[in-house]
Amino acid sequence: MAAEESTHGTSEYILHHLTNLKLDLATGRIDSEATGFWVMHLDSMVLSVLLALVFVLMFRSAARRATSGVPGKWQAFIELCITFVDGQVKDAYHHGAKFVAPMALAVGFWVFFMNFMDMLPVDILPVLAHGAGVEYLRVVPSTDPNIALGLSLTVFLIAFGYSFVAKGFRGVAGEFLFHPFGKWMMPVNFLLKLVEELAKPISLGLRLFGNMYAGEMIFILLATFTLSYTVGSLGANLGFLTQVILATGWTIFHILIISLQAFIFMTLTVVYMAMAADHH
């Protein structure tokens, strides 16, 4: 019986942490059971916007305090980040568009900030939200497929739109209809090109979502060691100590994962922009 209660408690705990705060736009109500196209994951949207504001304020403060003399530590850090991103863009993008580097900088930092939310203790923000009357709260926006695929789709649409600017309508139509097998195989060429283009946002978004979702699940599983149904105060203390030890080790490793995923997303954004501008 105790084992069954333990399993039931663990399942409820995991399910609670994997449930978004959902706003049903059709009814205007918060409904955790709502499904369908007109359901907004309110927690993911709000946190994404707040993290975007953090990025804007961070770089704006550095820009306002920038000096041509000896830079301070904060300015030096921001300049280091900009130089790093600019170097990555120059290595992959060899065309004249000046907006690609700022776009890559914004995308890379935004994804990193969303991923970094996974570094916070699993229960701290949900508990605070519960005290404010919010029943559900997922704190890592990039573990929401809507956010990950939304970002990748936006990057794809920008790159696809820019391809018309760089190549013109004829150039884009030629790639869809005449490559790689020539004009006699236009239906096959179009189908292959369509699959190639659609694979870009799907793979970009699912890669980010899959890696971050897996990391989130591991943190949640480690947090189950501190559940209140652990037998006895000694068991609770041991459970808490176990979680701290395991979570610390995983956090150190996970810092590399969140940074790598942000870097990959940024790099592929630049690569897709370069592919959109390349003439074949």
Side-chain angles (χ1 to χ4, degrees), residues 39 57 79 88 100 103 108 110 145 185 192 194 225 234 236 261 264:
V39 176
L57 293 175
E79 290 179 354
Q88 297 300 316
V100 174
M103 175 183 172
W110 196 14
M185 298 286 285
L192 291 176
L194 185 64
F225 286 107
L234 178 60
Q261 290 306 311
I264 291 174

Side-chain angles (χ1 to χ4, degrees), residues 70-97:
V70 179
K73 294 181 180 180
W74 181 241
Q75 181 181 340
F77 171 74
I78 296 298
E79 290 179 354
L80 179 64
C81 294
I82 294 175
T83 302
F84 172 77
V85 173
D86 189 56
Q88 297 300 316
V89 172
K90 288 180 179 178
D91 289 340
Y93 186 85
H94 307 291
H95 306 278

Side-chain angles (χ1 to χ4, degrees), residues 61 77 80 125 155 191 255:
S61 67
F77 171 74
L80 179 64
L125 290 184
V155 169
L191 181 60
I255 291 175

Side-chain angles (χ1 to χ4, degrees), residues 112-127:
F112 176 79
F113 286 158
M114 288 191 286
N115 293 350
F116 190 81
M117 296 297 288
D118 219 1
M119 298 292 98
L120 300 178
V122 169
D123 289 316
I124 184 169
L125 290 184
V127 168

